[in-house]
Amino acid sequence: MASPAAHKPRRRRKIEEGSLAHVTHGTLDFDESTNARKPAFPLVAFLWPAKGTVSLWVTIPLILMAVGLFRWTVSLWGYSGYQSPPMHGDFEAQRHWMEITKHLPVSQWYFYDLQWWGLDYPPLTAYHSWLLGVIGSAIDPEWFALNKSRGLDDPHLKIYMRATVFVSEYLAYVPALIVFLRRYAKTEGVNIWEGSIALVAILLQPGTILIDHGHFQYNTVMLGFAVATQSSMVAGRPLWGCVFFVGALGFKQMALFYAPAVFAYLLGICLFPKINIVRFLSIALVTVAAFAVLYLPFLLGIAYDMYKGISSKGLPMPPLMESLPIRWDTKAWYYPIILQMTQSVHRIFPFSRGLFEDKVANIWCTIHTFHKLHRYPQQLLQRAALLATTAAILPPCLIIFFKPKKQLLPLTFAAVSWGFFLCSYQVHEKNVLLPLMPMTLLLGGRDGLLPSTRAWVGLANMLGIWTMFPLLKRDELRVPYFVITLLWAYLLGLPPVSFSAYHEGSQSGLNLLSKILHLNIYVAMVGWHVAEAFYPPPADKPDLWVVANAIVGTGGFGICYLWCLWRLVTKSEILGKAKSKTQ
């Protein structure tokens, strides 16, 4: 055994100057007049002390505490439906689902009083609601008392519900994001410090904070599963990717926005560079098994209700069952199972609701403004939406199919989900979070912090949260909207607070056309806020400003879709190597 005197302490690896922060990385700007280097945008300056000297075991907890503070501060404000009878809002919907899953047998979950926020999300949301309902009822049974707690505005209930969003996000979304950025950074050759900058920028994304912690929803749980899907694929573990994506679909059906991208990538890695039948069969079997596990508690609950003698006689037959050319035997042992499964599908996919929800920034709402679409049969509109969506998502799906590279996953997810948001059937304004998530993940890539990428990602996020302002205004969230949005813009050096991403001296900056497009959109957003605040709409056009918001948003989102598609084309090199880095 060596003596203590002979022991040599481990030498710390020397970090070369500029290896972490560099002009070509987008984290530094070079002032030619003074030959001095300075942080390219404020977020770099804030994290400068952690450059190369502070362990991630210190940095990440500090980051999570800081971004958590902003989340909890936003949660102190109003929420959807606060003191707004008769239906209240999304807060009441989520609370009500906890109520019915806690008190009712499983066979009534998708049937009970559908006029009052009937359950219309997949089973994983139901399980999540049941768990939170059980915990909440243990704290105060009145919060989720069956039929007696509707529209409850108890401040203690608000604290509990806000805490469930916070904890759910920190258990699902945050770990998935940290792991993804570590894996993606290695793939892209990004250092740990730059990954920390990207982590802060993504966690402070205004849309997820204001919708989940302000308006009130659990979108980050589904987004966490979607990030974990990409993370597993980047790590070369497609089977785990299948499991996580089934989890995303099982929590919110809106994860279908990503489904074509997932399918195309998985099929691509099974066929290129050579056919791999074993991988194909493994993916198929794991996906089927994951769906079976997802529905197993639901089916076991139905079987238990049958065992307890809970009859399904009074339950109406879903339209899907009625449309099938089958004479159903209501006394058969399998009838309750088929009834429940078809009812869940009917509730999860509400084709009868219409082409779009409220005033949403997609092509159908924009077209409807100038040419009323309700005059056409619903079936025709559904087919038109299917055709338009297929045309929008086919190019990125073909690229990732023929070039199934891990580095292309965020761009593919973004392009496909933009296509869905702009063209698909039954879209909500909050669905913009789906394309914004993978597009914002680009900040963690090789060129993610360069002014060009930062400007495009920033534009998409600023435009996305701007299109949701009418919704946030109804929830009395104007102050958090302006504070969180402008703070994020300041930290990333974006308009209207800063123009550092558009500075002429920026390395790998935007071309002139992109600058003109961006600045015009920002001018339109600022001008709209001024007009909306000081000029009431005419009496015969009460939705003038909301419709104008949707139209501008549609154009901006269309440009973001084209940018993602073009970046995907150039990065995949499917048409040859790109000659220019300006975008």
Side-chain angles (χ1 to χ4, degrees):
M1 182 175 178
S3 64
H7 172 71
K8 292 183 178 180
R10 186 173 61 182
R11 183 180 298 175
R12 177 176 291 181
R13 182 171 58 89
K14 183 179 180 181
I15 300 176
E16 297 180 2
E17 179 68 22
S19 63
L20 294 180
H22 201 275
V23 175
T24 58
H25 297 177
T27 51
L28 287 180
D29 271 343
F30 182 73
D31 190 342
E32 295 182 355
S33 60
T34 61
N35 291 328
R37 293 183 299 174
K38 60 180 181 179
F41 49 97
L43 186 55
V44 175
F46 276 110
L47 288 174
W48 193 265
K51 181 173 68 71
T53 58
V54 181
S55 168
L56 281 178
W57 293 102
V58 176
T59 305
I60 290 180
L62 291 175
I63 290 173
L64 297 185
M65 284 190 286
V67 299
L69 180 63
F70 286 106
R71 281 160 166 74
W72 194 254
T73 303
V74 170
S75 71
L76 298 176
W77 289 78
Y79 53 80
S80 173
Y82 176 67
Q83 295 183 349
S84 301
M87 294 302 294
H88 300 273
D90 280 348
F91 182 92
E92 170 59 20
Q94 300 287 345
R95 189 214 60 80
H96 180 63
W97 295 347
M98 298 175 195
E99 170 193 337
I100 62 175
T101 53
K102 165 67 172 64
H103 291 286
L104 297 177
V106 175
S107 57
Q108 295 186 30
W109 284 2
Y110 285 101
F111 283 96
Y112 186 76
D113 196 2
L114 300 182
Q115 299 304 313
W116 184 269
W117 299 113
L119 181 61
D120 57 2
Y121 275 11
L124 193 55
T125 286
Y127 308 151
H128 180 254
S129 298
W130 171 81
L131 177 62
L132 299 182
V134 169
I135 296 173
S137 295
I139 299 172
D140 189 339
E142 293 184 1
W143 289 348
F144 305 104
L146 187 63
N147 297 330
K148 297 179 181 179
S149 55
R150 293 185 177 183
L152 190 63
D153 290 323
D154 188 327
H156 295 99
L157 171 64
K158 174 185 175 181
I159 294 174
Y160 172 74
M161 296 288 281
R162 293 297 200 188
T164 62
V165 176
F166 191 96
V167 173
S168 297
E169 179 176 0
Y170 270 60
L171 290 177
Y173 182 64
V174 171
L177 185 58
I178 293 172
V179 173
F180 170 82
L181 288 175
R182 289 294 302 275
R183 291 173 174 173
Y184 192 56
K186 289 181 180 179
T187 303
E188 292 277 275
V190 175
N191 62 60
I192 294 175
W193 179 64
E194 291 171 351
S196 298
I197 297 172
L199 176 64
V200 177
I202 297 168
L203 287 176
L204 285 178
Q205 186 183 14
T208 53
I209 294 178
L210 290 169
I211 293 301
D212 276 24
H213 300 274
H215 174 80
F216 195 89
Q217 283 193 333
Y218 295 94
N219 292 295
T220 47
V221 177
M222 178 269 292
L223 293 176
F225 281 116
V227 173
T229 301
Q230 296 181 68
S231 179
S232 299
M233 292 175 176
V234 169
R237 299 171 182 171
L239 299 183
W240 275 109
C242 296
V243 172
F244 286 124
F245 189 63
V246 169
L249 290 171
F251 196 83
K252 281 198 173 186
Q253 60 269 37
M254 281 76 78
L256 282 170
F257 278 33
Y258 304 133
V262 173
F263 175 79
Y265 175 78
L266 292 176
L267 186 60
I269 62 174
C270 292
L271 298 179
F272 303 104
K274 62 179 181 179
I275 298 176
N276 191 330
I277 297 297
V278 174
R279 174 179 285 174
F280 177 81
L281 293 176
S282 299
I283 289 172
L285 290 174
V286 168
T287 302
V288 172
F291 272 110
V293 171
L294 172 67
Y295 268 92
L296 183 60
F298 181 66
L299 295 175
L300 289 176
I302 296 169
Y304 179 75
D305 291 347
M306 294 168 60
Y307 171 76
K308 296 288 288 185
I310 299 176
S311 175
S312 59
K313 282 186 178 180
L315 301 178
M317 187 177 292
L320 180 60
M321 286 184 70
E322 292 179 341
S323 64
L324 296 175
I326 300 174
R327 295 186 63 182
W328 299 102
D329 182 3
T330 58
K331 297 181 180 180
W333 65 269
Y334 56 81
Y335 177 78
I337 297 175
I338 296 177
L339 178 71
Q340 293 290 337
M341 292 294 290
T342 52
Q343 175 68 0
S344 69
V345 172
H346 170 66
R347 293 293 300 163
I348 293 168
F349 300 103
F351 289 108
S352 60
R353 288 188 183 177
L355 190 58
F356 54 86
E357 192 85 5
D358 207 357
K359 305 294 188 298
V360 59
N362 74 351
I363 63 171
W364 304 116
C365 183
T366 301
I367 293 173
H368 184 75
T369 303
F370 304 101
H371 182 75
K372 302 307 176 186
L373 296 175
H374 56 71
R375 68 181 70 177
Y376 298 104
Q378 191 176 64
Q379 191 174 22
L380 177 62
L381 296 176
Q382 291 175 358
R383 291 176 179 174
L386 176 62
L387 182 63
T389 305
T390 302
I393 68 174
L394 191 58
C397 287
L398 288 176
I399 292 172
I400 198 67
F401 171 69
F402 288 110
K403 298 281 187 177
K405 300 178 181 179
K406 303 171 184 178
Q407 298 90 336
L408 303 179
L409 284 169
L411 277 170
T412 306
F413 271 59
V416 170
S417 50
W418 275 127
F420 262 100
F421 181 81
L422 287 166
C423 305
S424 68
Y425 191 86
Q426 209 1 252
V427 173
H428 297 252
E429 66 270 59
K430 299 182 290 291
N431 291 157
V432 75
L433 296 178
L434 283 102
L436 288 181
M437 183 274 289
M439 194 169 177
T440 310
L441 292 181
L442 295 175
L443 294 174
R446 181 178 303 164
D447 302 328
L449 299 179
L450 290 175
S452 55
T453 304
R454 189 158 38 95
W456 277 103
V457 171
L459 175 71
N461 276 279
M462 296 294 285
L463 187 63
I465 193 61
W466 176 74
T467 60
M468 291 188 283
F469 176 78
L471 173 71
L472 298 172
K473 180 183 176 181
R474 290 198 298 268
D475 299 336
E476 299 296 332
L477 292 169
R478 281 168 290 195
V479 172
Y481 162 83
F482 284 110
V483 171
I484 295 296
T485 303
L486 294 179
L487 172 67
W488 196 76
Y490 163 74
L491 290 175
L492 292 183
L494 299 169
V497 181
S498 171
F499 291 87
S500 67
Y502 299 86
H503 192 267
E504 288 294 333
S506 298
Q507 295 289 324
S508 299
L510 294 172
N511 58 39
L512 181 60
L513 177 60
S514 295
K515 290 180 180 179
I516 293 173
L517 284 173
H518 285 212
L519 296 180
N520 279 330
I521 292 173
Y522 279 113
V523 168
M525 288 192 284
V526 173
W528 181 90
H529 271 302
V530 173
E532 187 270 342
F534 296 104
Y535 299 97
D540 59 335
K541 294 181 176 63
D543 295 328
L544 175 64
W545 299 128
V546 179
V547 171
N549 180 293
I551 293 173
V552 173
T554 302
F557 292 151
I559 294 171
C560 291
Y561 162 76
L562 293 175
W563 178 80
C564 290
L565 184 59
W566 177 245
R567 278 291 304 272
L568 188 59
V569 170
T570 55
K571 193 168 184 176
S572 67
E573 299 180 353
I574 199 167
L575 299 179
K577 292 187 177 181
K579 296 181 180 179
S580 175
K581 291 186 178 180
T582 57
Q583 300 165 58

